[in-house]
Coordinates of all heavy atoms in Angstrom, one line a residue:
I12 N 17.7 -12.9 8.3 CA 16.7 -13.9 8.1 C 15.3 -13.4 8.3 O 14.3 -14.1 8.1 CB 16.9 -15.1 9.1 CG1 16.6 -14.7 10.5 CG2 18.2 -15.8 8.8 CD1 16.5 -15.9 11.4
L13 N 15.1 -12.0 8.5 CA 13.9 -11.5 8.8 C 12.9 -11.8 7.7 O 11.7 -11.9 7.9 CB 14.0 -10.0 9.0 CG 14.7 -9.5 10.3 CD1 14.8 -8.0 10.3 CD2 14.1 -10.1 11.5
M14 N 13.4 -11.7 6.4 CA 12.4 -12.0 5.3 C 11.8 -13.4 5.3 O 10.7 -13.6 4.7 CB 13.1 -11.8 4.1 CG 14.2 -12.9 3.7 SD 15.0 -12.5 2.1 CE 16.3 -13.7 2.2
H15 N 12.3 -14.3 6.1 CA 11.8 -15.7 6.2 C 10.9 -15.9 7.4 O 10.4 -17.0 7.6 CB 13.0 -16.6 6.4 CG 13.9 -16.6 5.1 ND1 13.5 -17.0 3.9 CD2 15.2 -16.2 5.0 CE1 14.5 -16.9 3.0 NE2 15.5 -16.4 3.7
L16 N 10.7 -14.9 8.3 CA 10.0 -15.0 9.4 C 8.5 -14.4 9.3 O 8.3 -13.4 8.6 CB 10.7 -14.4 10.6 CG 12.1 -14.8 10.9 CD1 12.6 -14.0 11.9 CD2 12.1 -16.2 11.2
R17 N 7.5 -15.1 9.9 CA 6.2 -14.6 9.9 C 6.0 -13.2 10.5 O 5.2 -12.4 10.0 CB 5.2 -15.6 10.5 CG 3.8 -15.2 10.5 CD 3.0 -16.2 11.3 NE 3.5 -16.2 12.6 CZ 2.7 -16.7 13.6 NH1 1.6 -17.3 13.4 NH2 3.2 -16.7 14.8
D18 N 6.8 -12.9 11.6 CA 6.6 -11.7 12.4 C 8.0 -11.1 12.6 O 8.6 -11.3 13.6 CB 5.9 -12.0 13.7 CG 5.5 -10.7 14.4 OD1 6.0 -9.6 14.0 OD2 4.6 -10.7 15.2
P19 N 8.5 -10.3 11.6 CA 9.8 -9.8 11.8 C 10.1 -8.7 12.9 O 11.1 -8.7 13.5 CB 10.2 -9.2 10.4 CG 8.9 -9.0 9.8 CD 7.9 -10.0 10.3
V20 N 8.9 -8.1 13.2 CA 9.0 -7.1 14.3 C 9.2 -7.9 15.6 O 10.0 -7.4 16.5 CB 7.7 -6.2 14.2 CG1 7.8 -5.2 15.5 CG2 7.7 -5.4 13.1
A21 N 8.4 -8.9 15.9 CA 8.6 -9.7 17.1 C 9.9 -10.3 17.2 O 10.5 -10.3 18.3 CB 7.5 -10.7 17.1
A22 N 10.5 -10.7 16.0 CA 11.8 -11.3 16.1 C 12.8 -10.3 16.5 O 13.8 -10.5 17.3 CB 12.2 -11.9 14.8
L23 N 12.8 -9.1 15.9 CA 13.7 -8.0 16.3 C 13.6 -7.6 17.8 O 14.5 -7.4 18.5 CB 13.5 -6.8 15.4 CG 14.1 -6.8 14.0 CD1 13.7 -5.5 13.2 CD2 15.6 -6.9 14.1
E24 N 12.4 -7.6 18.2 CA 12.1 -7.3 19.6 C 12.7 -8.3 20.5 O 13.3 -8.0 21.5 CB 10.5 -7.2 19.8 CG 10.2 -6.7 21.3 CD 8.7 -6.5 21.5 OE1 7.9 -7.1 20.7 OE2 8.4 -5.6 22.3
A25 N 12.5 -9.6 20.2 CA 13.2 -10.6 21.0 C 14.7 -10.6 21.0 O 15.3 -10.6 22.0 CB 12.7 -12.0 20.5
V26 N 15.3 -10.3 19.9 CA 16.7 -10.2 19.8 C 17.2 -9.0 20.5 O 18.3 -9.0 21.2 CB 17.2 -10.2 18.3 CG1 18.6 -9.9 18.2 CG2 16.9 -11.6 17.7
S27 N 16.5 -7.9 20.4 CA 17.0 -6.7 21.0 C 16.9 -6.7 22.6 O 17.7 -6.1 23.2 CB 16.1 -5.5 20.6 OG 14.7 -5.6 21.2
G28 N 16.1 -7.7 23.1 CA 16.2 -7.9 24.5 C 17.4 -8.7 25.1 O 17.6 -8.7 26.3
I29 N 18.2 -9.2 24.2 CA 19.4 -10.0 24.6 C 20.7 -9.2 24.3 O 21.8 -9.8 24.6 CB 19.4 -11.4 24.1 CG1 19.4 -11.4 22.6 CG2 18.2 -12.2 24.6 CD1 19.7 -12.8 22.1
T30 N 20.6 -8.0 23.8 CA 21.8 -7.2 23.5 C 21.7 -6.0 24.3 O 20.7 -5.4 24.4 CB 22.0 -7.0 22.0 OG1 23.2 -6.2 21.8 CG2 20.9 -6.1 21.4
D31 N 22.9 -5.5 24.8 CA 22.9 -4.3 25.6 C 23.3 -3.1 24.7 O 23.0 -2.0 25.1 CB 24.0 -4.4 26.7 CG 23.7 -5.4 27.8 OD1 22.4 -5.5 28.0 OD2 24.5 -5.9 28.5
S32 N 23.8 -3.3 23.6 CA 24.3 -2.1 22.8 C 24.1 -2.2 21.3 O 23.5 -1.2 20.8 CB 25.8 -2.0 23.0 OG 26.5 -3.2 22.6
T33 N 24.4 -3.3 20.6 CA 24.4 -3.2 19.2 C 23.6 -4.3 18.5 O 23.5 -5.4 19.1 CB 25.8 -3.3 18.6 OG1 26.6 -2.3 19.3 CG2 26.0 -3.1 17.1
I34 N 23.0 -4.0 17.4 CA 22.2 -5.0 16.6 C 22.6 -4.7 15.1 O 22.7 -3.7 14.7 CB 20.7 -4.9 16.9 CG1 20.0 -6.1 16.2 CG2 20.2 -3.6 16.4 CD1 18.5 -6.2 16.8
V35 N 22.7 -5.8 14.4 CA 23.0 -5.7 13.0 C 22.0 -6.5 12.1 O 21.7 -7.7 12.5 CB 24.5 -6.4 12.7 CG1 24.8 -6.4 11.2 CG2 25.5 -5.8 13.5
V36 N 21.4 -5.8 11.2 CA 20.4 -6.4 10.3 C 20.8 -6.3 8.8 O 21.2 -5.2 8.4 CB 19.1 -5.8 10.5 CG1 18.1 -6.3 9.5 CG2 18.6 -5.8 12.0
A37 N 21.0 -7.4 8.2 CA 21.3 -7.4 6.7 C 20.1 -8.1 6.0 O 19.8 -9.2 6.3 CB 22.6 -8.1 6.4
E38 N 19.6 -7.5 4.9 CA 18.5 -8.0 4.1 C 18.7 -7.7 2.6 O 19.4 -6.7 2.3 CB 17.2 -7.4 4.5 CG 16.7 -7.8 5.9 CD 16.3 -9.3 6.0 OE1 15.8 -9.8 4.9 OE2 16.5 -9.9 7.0
P39 N 18.2 -8.5 1.7 CA 18.2 -8.1 0.4 C 17.6 -6.8 -0.1 O 16.5 -6.5 0.6 CB 17.5 -9.3 -0.3 CG 17.4 -10.4 0.7 CD 17.4 -9.7 2.0
L40 N 18.1 -6.2 -1.0 CA 17.6 -4.9 -1.4 C 16.8 -5.2 -2.6 O 17.3 -5.3 -3.8 CB 18.7 -3.9 -1.7 CG 18.2 -2.5 -2.1 CD1 17.4 -1.7 -1.0 CD2 19.4 -1.7 -2.5
V41 N 15.4 -5.4 -2.5 CA 14.6 -5.8 -3.6 C 13.5 -4.8 -4.0 O 12.9 -4.9 -5.0 CB 14.0 -7.3 -3.5 CG1 15.1 -8.3 -3.4 CG2 13.1 -7.3 -2.2
L42 N 13.3 -3.8 -3.1 CA 12.3 -2.9 -3.3 C 12.9 -1.5 -3.8 O 13.9 -1.2 -3.3 CB 11.4 -2.6 -2.1 CG 10.7 -3.8 -1.6 CD1 10.0 -3.4 -0.3 CD2 9.6 -4.2 -2.6
S43 N 12.2 -0.9 -4.7 CA 12.8 0.4 -5.1 C 12.4 1.4 -4.0 O 11.6 1.1 -3.1 CB 12.2 0.9 -6.4 OG 10.8 0.9 -6.4
N44 N 12.9 2.6 -4.1 CA 12.6 3.7 -3.1 C 13.0 3.4 -1.7 O 12.2 3.2 -0.7 CB 11.1 4.0 -3.2 CG 10.8 5.4 -3.0 OD1 11.7 6.2 -2.7 ND2 9.6 5.8 -3.2
P45 N 14.3 3.2 -1.4 CA 14.8 2.7 -0.2 C 14.6 3.6 1.0 O 14.7 3.3 2.2 CB 16.3 2.5 -0.4 CG 16.6 3.3 -1.5 CD 15.4 3.3 -2.4
N46 N 14.3 4.9 0.6 CA 13.9 5.9 1.7 C 12.6 5.9 2.3 O 12.3 6.5 3.2 CB 14.3 7.2 1.3 CG 15.9 7.3 0.8 OD1 16.7 6.9 1.6 ND2 16.2 8.1 -0.3
E47 N 11.7 5.1 1.6 CA 10.3 5.0 2.1 C 10.2 3.7 3.0 O 10.7 2.7 2.7 CB 9.4 4.8 0.9 CG 9.2 6.0 0.0 CD 8.5 7.1 0.7 OE1 7.6 6.9 1.6 OE2 8.8 8.2 0.5
P48 N 9.6 3.8 4.1 CA 9.4 2.7 5.0 C 8.4 1.7 4.5 O 7.3 1.6 5.1 CB 9.1 3.3 6.3 CG 8.5 4.6 6.1 CD 9.0 5.0 4.7
L49 N 8.8 0.9 3.6 CA 7.9 -0.1 3.0 C 8.3 -1.5 3.3 O 9.4 -2.0 3.4 CB 8.0 0.1 1.5 CG 7.7 1.4 1.0 CD1 7.8 1.5 -0.5 CD2 6.2 1.9 1.3
L50 N 7.1 -2.3 3.5 CA 7.2 -3.8 3.6 C 6.4 -4.4 2.6 O 5.2 -3.9 2.3 CB 6.7 -4.3 5.0 CG 7.6 -4.1 6.2 CD1 7.5 -2.7 6.7 CD2 7.3 -5.1 7.3
L51 N 6.8 -5.4 1.9 CA 5.9 -6.1 0.9 C 5.7 -7.5 1.4 O 6.7 -8.2 1.7 CB 6.7 -6.1 -0.5 CG 6.0 -7.0 -1.5 CD1 4.7 -6.3 -1.9 CD2 6.9 -7.1 -2.7
F52 N 4.5 -7.8 1.4 CA 4.1 -9.2 1.9 C 4.2 -10.0 0.6 O 3.3 -10.1 -0.2 CB 2.7 -9.2 2.5 CG 2.2 -10.5 3.0 CD1 2.9 -11.2 4.0 CD2 1.1 -11.2 2.4 CE1 2.5 -12.5 4.5 CE2 0.6 -12.4 3.0 CZ 1.4 -13.0 4.0
R53 N 5.2 -10.8 0.4 CA 5.6 -11.5 -0.8 C 4.5 -12.7 -1.2 O 4.2 -12.7 -2.3 CB 6.9 -11.9 -0.9 CG 7.9 -10.8 -0.8 CD 9.2 -11.2 -1.0 NE 9.5 -11.5 -2.4 CZ 10.7 -11.8 -2.9 NH1 11.7 -11.7 -2.2 NH2 10.8 -12.1 -4.2
P54 N 4.2 -13.5 -0.2 CA 3.2 -14.6 -0.6 C 2.0 -14.1 -1.3 O 1.4 -14.8 -2.1 CB 3.0 -15.3 0.7 CG 4.1 -15.0 1.5 CD 4.5 -13.6 1.2
A55 N 1.5 -13.0 -0.9 CA 0.3 -12.4 -1.4 C 0.5 -12.0 -3.0 O -0.4 -11.8 -3.7 CB -0.2 -11.2 -0.7
R56 N 1.8 -11.9 -3.4 CA 2.1 -11.3 -4.7 C 2.7 -12.3 -5.7 O 2.9 -12.0 -6.8 CB 2.9 -10.0 -4.6 CG 2.2 -9.0 -3.8 CD 2.6 -7.7 -3.8 NE 3.1 -7.3 -5.1 CZ 2.8 -6.2 -5.8 NH1 2.0 -5.4 -5.3 NH2 3.3 -5.9 -6.9
E57 N 3.4 -13.3 -5.1 CA 4.1 -14.2 -6.0 C 4.3 -15.5 -5.3 O 3.9 -15.7 -4.2 CB 5.5 -13.6 -6.4 CG 6.3 -13.3 -5.1 CD 7.6 -12.6 -5.4 OE1 7.5 -11.3 -5.6 OE2 8.6 -13.1 -5.4
S58 N 4.7 -16.5 -6.0 CA 4.9 -17.9 -5.4 C 6.2 -18.1 -4.8 O 6.9 -19.1 -5.2 CB 4.5 -18.9 -6.5 OG 5.4 -18.8 -7.6
V59 N 6.6 -17.3 -3.9 CA 7.9 -17.6 -3.2 C 7.6 -18.3 -1.9 O 6.9 -17.8 -1.1 CB 8.6 -16.2 -2.8 CG1 9.9 -16.5 -2.0 CG2 8.9 -15.4 -4.1
L60 N 8.0 -19.5 -1.8 CA 7.6 -20.5 -0.8 C 8.4 -20.2 0.5 O 7.9 -20.5 1.6 CB 7.7 -21.9 -1.2 CG 6.9 -22.2 -2.4 CD1 7.1 -23.7 -2.8 CD2 5.4 -22.0 -2.1
D61 N 9.6 -19.7 0.4 CA 10.5 -19.5 1.7 C 10.6 -18.1 2.2 O 11.4 -17.9 3.0 CB 11.8 -20.2 1.4 CG 12.7 -19.4 0.4 OD1 12.1 -18.7 -0.3 OD2 13.8 -19.7 0.4
T62 N 10.0 -17.2 1.5 CA 10.1 -15.8 1.9 C 8.8 -15.1 2.1 O 7.9 -15.2 1.3 CB 10.9 -15.1 0.8 OG1 12.1 -15.7 0.5 CG2 11.1 -13.6 1.2
W63 N 8.6 -14.5 3.2 CA 7.4 -13.8 3.6 C 7.4 -12.4 3.2 O 6.4 -11.9 2.8 CB 7.1 -14.0 5.1 CG 6.7 -15.3 5.6 CD1 7.4 -16.5 5.5 CD2 5.5 -15.6 6.2 NE1 6.7 -17.4 6.2 CE2 5.4 -17.0 6.5 CE3 4.2 -14.9 6.6 CZ2 4.4 -17.5 7.2 CZ3 3.2 -15.5 7.1 CH2 3.3 -16.8 7.5
W64 N 8.6 -11.8 3.3 CA 8.6 -10.2 3.3 C 9.8 -9.8 2.5 O 10.8 -10.5 2.2 CB 8.9 -9.7 4.7 CG 7.8 -10.0 5.7 CD1 7.8 -11.0 6.7 CD2 6.5 -9.4 5.9 NE1 6.7 -11.0 7.4 CE2 5.8 -10.1 6.9 CE3 5.9 -8.3 5.1 CZ2 4.6 -9.7 7.3 CZ3 4.6 -8.0 5.5 CH2 4.0 -8.7 6.6
A65 N 9.6 -8.5 2.0 CA 10.6 -7.7 1.4 C 10.6 -6.4 2.2 O 9.6 -6.0 2.5 CB 10.5 -7.5 0.0
F66 N 11.8 -5.8 2.4 CA 11.9 -4.6 3.3 C 12.7 -3.5 2.5 O 13.6 -3.9 1.8 CB 12.6 -4.8 4.7 CG 12.2 -6.0 5.4 CD1 12.7 -7.2 5.3 CD2 11.1 -5.8 6.3 CE1 12.3 -8.3 6.0 CE2 10.7 -6.9 7.1 CZ 11.2 -8.1 6.9
T67 N 12.4 -2.3 2.8 CA 13.2 -1.2 2.5 C 14.2 -0.9 3.7 O 13.8 -1.1 4.8 CB 12.5 0.1 2.1 OG1 11.7 0.5 3.2 CG2 11.7 -0.1 0.9
P68 N 15.3 -0.3 3.4 CA 16.1 0.1 4.6 C 15.4 1.0 5.6 O 15.6 0.9 6.8 CB 17.3 0.8 3.9 CG 17.4 0.2 2.5 CD 16.0 0.0 2.1
A69 N 14.6 1.9 5.0 CA 13.9 2.8 5.9 C 13.0 2.1 6.8 O 12.7 2.5 8.0 CB 13.1 3.8 5.1
A70 N 12.3 0.9 6.4 CA 11.4 0.1 7.2 C 12.2 -0.5 8.4 O 11.8 -0.5 9.5 CB 10.7 -0.9 6.4
I71 N 13.4 -1.1 8.1 CA 14.2 -1.7 9.1 C 14.7 -0.6 10.1 O 14.7 -0.8 11.3 CB 15.4 -2.5 8.5 CG1 14.8 -3.7 7.6 CG2 16.3 -2.9 9.6 CD1 14.0 -4.7 8.4
S72 N 15.1 0.5 9.5 CA 15.5 1.6 10.4 C 14.4 2.0 11.4 O 14.8 2.2 12.6 CB 15.9 2.8 9.5 OG 16.4 3.9 10.3
G73 N 13.2 2.1 10.9 CA 12.2 2.5 11.8 C 11.9 1.5 12.8 O 11.6 1.8 14.0
M74 N 11.9 0.2 12.5 CA 11.8 -0.8 13.5 C 12.8 -0.8 14.5 O 12.5 -0.9 15.7 CB 11.8 -2.2 12.8 CG 10.7 -2.5 11.9 SD 10.9 -4.2 11.1 CE 9.9 -4.0 9.7
L75 N 14.1 -0.6 14.2 CA 15.2 -0.5 15.1 C 15.0 0.7 16.0 O 15.2 0.6 17.3 CB 16.5 -0.6 14.4 CG 16.8 -1.8 13.7 CD1 18.2 -1.6 12.9 CD2 16.9 -3.0 14.6
A76 N 14.6 1.9 15.4 CA 14.4 3.0 16.3 C 13.3 2.8 17.3 O 13.4 3.2 18.5 CB 14.0 4.3 15.4
M77 N 12.3 2.1 16.9 CA 11.1 1.8 17.8 C 11.7 0.9 19.0 O 11.1 1.1 20.1 CB 10.1 1.0 17.0 CG 8.9 0.6 17.8 SD 7.7 -0.4 16.8 CE 8.6 -1.9 16.6
L78 N 12.7 0.2 18.8 CA 13.2 -0.6 19.8 C 14.3 0.0 20.6 O 15.0 -0.6 21.4 CB 13.7 -2.0 19.2 CG 12.5 -2.8 18.6 CD1 13.1 -4.0 17.7 CD2 11.5 -3.3 19.7
G79 N 14.6 1.3 20.3 CA 15.7 2.0 21.1 C 17.0 2.1 20.4 O 18.0 2.7 21.0
F80 N 17.2 1.6 19.2 CA 18.4 1.7 18.5 C 18.4 2.9 17.6 O 18.2 2.8 16.4 CB 18.7 0.4 17.6 CG 18.8 -0.8 18.5 CD1 17.7 -1.6 18.9 CD2 20.0 -1.2 19.1 CE1 17.8 -2.7 19.6 CE2 20.2 -2.3 19.8 CZ 19.0 -3.1 20.1
Y81 N 18.7 4.1 18.1 CA 18.6 5.4 17.5 C 19.8 5.7 16.7 O 19.8 6.4 15.6 CB 18.3 6.5 18.5 CG 17.0 6.4 19.2 CD1 17.0 6.0 20.5 CD2 15.8 6.4 18.5 CE1 15.7 5.8 21.2 CE2 14.5 6.3 19.2 CZ 14.5 5.9 20.4 OH 13.4 5.7 21.1
Q82 N 21.1 5.3 17.1 CA 22.2 5.5 16.4 C 22.3 4.4 15.3 O 22.5 3.3 15.7 CB 23.4 5.5 17.3 CG 23.3 6.6 18.3 CD 24.5 6.6 19.3 OE1 25.1 5.5 19.5 NE2 24.8 7.7 20.0
Q83 N 22.3 4.8 14.0 CA 22.3 3.8 13.0 C 23.3 4.2 11.9 O 23.5 5.3 11.5 CB 20.9 3.6 12.4 CG 19.9 3.2 13.4 CD 18.6 3.1 12.8 OE1 18.4 3.2 11.6 NE2 17.5 2.9 13.6
S84 N 23.9 3.1 11.2 CA 24.7 3.3 10.1 C 24.1 2.3 9.0 O 23.7 1.2 9.3 CB 26.1 3.1 10.3 OG 26.4 1.8 10.6
L85 N 24.0 2.8 7.8 CA 23.5 2.0 6.7 C 24.6 1.9 5.6 O 25.2 2.9 5.2 CB 22.3 2.8 6.0 CG 21.6 2.3 4.7 CD1 21.1 0.9 4.8 CD2 20.7 3.3 4.2
T86 N 24.7 0.7 5.1 CA 25.6 0.4 4.0 C 24.9 -0.5 3.0 O 24.0 -1.3 3.3 CB 27.0 -0.3 4.5 OG1 26.7 -1.5 5.2 CG2 27.7 0.6 5.4
Y87 N 25.3 -0.3 1.7 CA 24.9 -1.2 0.7 C 26.0 -2.0 0.1 O 27.1 -1.5 0.1 CB 24.4 -0.3 -0.5 CG 23.1 0.6 -0.1 CD1 23.3 1.8 0.3 CD2 21.9 0.0 -0.2 CE1 22.1 2.6 0.6 CE2 20.7 0.8 0.1 CZ 20.9 2.1 0.6 OH 19.8 2.8 0.9
H88 N 25.7 -3.3 -0.2 CA 26.8 -4.2 -0.6 C 26.2 -5.2 -1.5 O 24.9 -5.3 -1.6 CB 27.6 -4.7 0.5 CG 26.7 -5.3 1.6 ND1 26.4 -6.7 1.7 CD2 26.0 -4.8 2.6 CE1 25.6 -6.9 2.7 NE2 25.4 -5.7 3.3
Q89 N 27.0 -6.1 -2.0 CA 26.5 -7.2 -2.9 C 27.0 -8.5 -2.1 O 28.1 -8.6 -1.6 CB 27.0 -7.2 -4.2 CG 26.5 -6.0 -4.9 CD 26.8 -6.0 -6.5 OE1 27.9 -6.3 -6.8 NE2 25.8 -5.7 -7.3
Q90 N 26.2 -9.6 -2.2 CA 26.4 -10.9 -1.7 C 26.3 -11.9 -2.7 O 25.4 -11.9 -3.5 CB 25.4 -11.2 -0.5 CG 25.5 -10.3 0.7 CD 26.7 -10.5 1.5 OE1 27.5 -9.6 1.6 NE2 26.9 -11.8 2.0
P91 N 27.2 -12.8 -2.7 CA 27.1 -14.0 -3.7 C 25.9 -14.9 -3.2 O 25.7 -15.0 -2.1 CB 28.4 -14.7 -3.6 CG 29.1 -14.2 -2.3 CD 28.4 -12.9 -2.0
T92 N 25.2 -15.4 -4.2 CA 24.1 -16.3 -3.9 C 24.6 -17.8 -4.2 O 25.6 -18.0 -4.8 CB 22.9 -16.0 -4.8 OG1 23.2 -16.4 -6.2 CG2 22.5 -14.6 -4.7
G93 N 23.7 -18.7 -3.8 CA 24.0 -20.2 -4.0 C 24.0 -20.5 -5.5 O 24.5 -21.5 -5.9
A94 N 23.3 -19.6 -6.3 CA 23.2 -20.0 -7.7 C 24.4 -19.3 -8.6 O 24.3 -19.3 -9.8 CB 21.8 -19.4 -8.2
G95 N 25.4 -18.8 -7.9 CA 26.5 -18.3 -8.6 C 26.3 -16.9 -9.0 O 27.1 -16.3 -9.8
M96 N 25.3 -16.2 -8.6 CA 24.9 -14.9 -9.0 C 25.3 -13.9 -7.8 O 25.7 -14.4 -6.7 CB 23.4 -14.7 -9.3 CG 23.0 -15.6 -10.5 SD 21.3 -15.7 -10.8 CE 21.1 -14.0 -11.4
V97 N 25.1 -12.6 -8.0 CA 25.3 -11.6 -7.0 C 24.0 -10.9 -6.7 O 23.3 -10.5 -7.6 CB 26.4 -10.7 -7.4 CG1 26.6 -9.6 -6.3 CG2 27.7 -11.4 -7.7
A98 N 23.6 -10.7 -5.4 CA 22.4 -10.0 -5.0 C 22.7 -8.7 -4.3 O 23.7 -8.6 -3.5 CB 21.6 -10.9 -4.2
D99 N 21.9 -7.7 -4.4 CA 22.1 -6.4 -3.8 C 21.5 -6.6 -2.3 O 20.5 -7.1 -2.2 CB 21.5 -5.3 -4.4 CG 22.0 -5.0 -5.8 OD1 23.3 -5.1 -5.9 OD2 21.3 -4.6 -6.7
Y100 N 22.3 -6.1 -1.3 CA 21.9 -6.2 0.0 C 22.1 -4.8 0.7 O 22.8 -3.9 0.2 CB 22.7 -7.2 0.8 CG 22.1 -8.6 0.9 CD1 22.1 -9.3 -0.3 CD2 21.6 -9.1 2.0 CE1 21.6 -10.6 -0.3 CE2 21.1 -10.4 2.0 CZ 21.1 -11.1 0.9 OH 20.6 -12.4 0.9
F101 N 21.5 -4.6 1.9 CA 21.8 -3.5 2.7 C 22.0 -4.1 4.2 O 21.4 -5.1 4.5 CB 20.7 -2.4 2.7 CG 19.4 -2.9 3.3 CD1 19.1 -2.7 4.7 CD2 18.4 -3.5 2.6 CE1 17.9 -3.1 5.2 CE2 17.2 -3.9 3.1 CZ 16.9 -3.7 4.3
T102 N 22.8 -3.4 4.9 CA 23.0 -3.7 6.2 C 22.9 -2.5 7.1 O 23.4 -1.3 6.8 CB 24.5 -4.2 6.4 OG1 24.6 -5.5 5.7 CG2 24.8 -4.5 7.9
I103 N 22.1 -2.5 8.2 CA 22.0 -1.5 9.2 C 22.6 -2.0 10.5 O 22.2 -3.0 11.0 CB 20.6 -1.1 9.4 CG1 20.0 -0.6 8.0 CG2 20.4 0.0 10.5 CD1 18.5 -0.2 8.1
V104 N 23.5 -1.1 11.0 CA 24.0 -1.5 12.4 C 23.4 -0.3 13.3 O 23.5 0.8 13.1 CB 25.5 -1.3 12.4 CG1 26.1 -1.5 13.8 CG2 26.2 -2.3 11.4
G105 N 22.7 -0.9 14.3 CA 22.0 0.1 15.2 C 22.6 0.0 16.6 O 23.1 -1.1 17.1
A106 N 22.7 1.1 17.3 CA 23.2 1.1 18.7 C 22.3 1.9 19.6 O 21.6 2.9 19.1 CB 24.7 1.8 18.6
R107 N 22.2 1.5 20.7 CA 21.4 2.2 21.7 C 22.1 3.5 22.2 O 23.3 3.6 22.1 CB 21.1 1.3 23.0 CG 20.1 0.2 22.5 CD 19.4 -0.4 23.8 NE 18.3 -1.2 23.3 CZ 18.2 -2.4 23.5 NH1 19.2 -3.2 24.0 NH2 17.2 -3.1 23.1
R108 N 21.3 4.5 22.6 CA 22.0 5.8 23.0 C 23.0 5.5 24.1 O 22.8 4.7 25.0 CB 20.9 6.7 23.5 CG 20.1 7.2 22.4 CD 19.0 8.2 23.0 NE 18.1 8.5 21.9 CZ 17.7 9.7 21.6 NH1 18.0 10.7 22.3 NH2 16.8 9.8 20.6
G109 N 24.1 6.3 24.0 CA 25.1 6.1 25.0 C 26.0 5.0 24.8 O 26.9 4.7 25.6
R110 N 25.8 4.2 23.7 CA 26.5 3.0 23.4 C 27.3 3.2 22.1 O 27.0 3.9 21.3 CB 25.7 1.7 23.3 CG 24.6 1.5 24.3 CD 25.2 1.1 25.7 NE 24.1 1.1 26.7 CZ 24.1 0.2 27.5 NH1 24.8 -0.9 27.4 NH2 23.0 0.1 28.3
V111 N 28.4 2.5 22.0 CA 29.3 2.6 20.8 C 28.9 1.4 19.9 O 29.0 0.2 20.4 CB 30.8 2.6 21.1 CG1 31.5 2.6 19.9 CG2 31.0 3.8 22.0
A112 N 28.6 1.6 18.6 CA 28.3 0.6 17.7 C 29.6 -0.1 17.2 O 30.6 0.6 17.1 CB 27.5 1.1 16.6

């Protein structure tokens, strides 16, 4: 749900404070160049009323590392949408050092 939040970094920080070991983040893959740590502020570029952000996997990975989740695995997958279509997504599972994801 990070794309729907005004401050996704603060949300990740809050959630990271209630887990001892593992965090899972899944977001739509809408930006090209997934290896670049990019965030796109969507309201400034289009009329999407319920979405603030688009992220690359590298951006989410960097946020998780900043919060101490250094062990990470990245997967790409597709999710069905409410409109009967399929959307590309990525999921990052992060674990704190010394913990098993």
Side-chain angles (χ1 to χ4, degrees):
I12 67 164
L13 294 177
M14 67 181 173
H15 299 293
L16 303 177
R17 182 183 58 164
D18 191 341
V20 177
L23 281 176
E24 185 174 27
V26 170
S27 73
I29 60 172
T30 181
D31 289 334
S32 60
T33 306
I34 193 166
V35 179
V36 177
E38 290 290 327
L40 183 63
V41 295
L42 298 177
S43 60
N44 217 354
N46 297 322
E47 292 291 325
L49 303 174
L50 285 80
L51 173 66
F52 184 62
R53 293 186 77 170
R56 303 197 32 131
E57 57 190 80
S58 60
V59 177
L60 300 178
D61 68 341
T62 303
W63 287 64
W64 300 100
F66 310 93
T67 60
I71 298 296
S72 176
M74 291 178 201
L75 292 178
M77 178 183 69
L78 296 168
F80 296 91
Y81 298 108
Q82 298 173 340
Q83 299 179 7
S84 65
L85 168 64
T86 56
Y87 295 94
H88 52 96
Q89 293 187 319
Q90 295 290 116
T92 68
M96 300 173 68
V97 176
D99 294 325
Y100 269 70
F101 67 92
T102 296
I103 299 178
V104 178
R107 291 204 162 110
R108 289 185 189 218
R110 314 288 176 133
V111 177

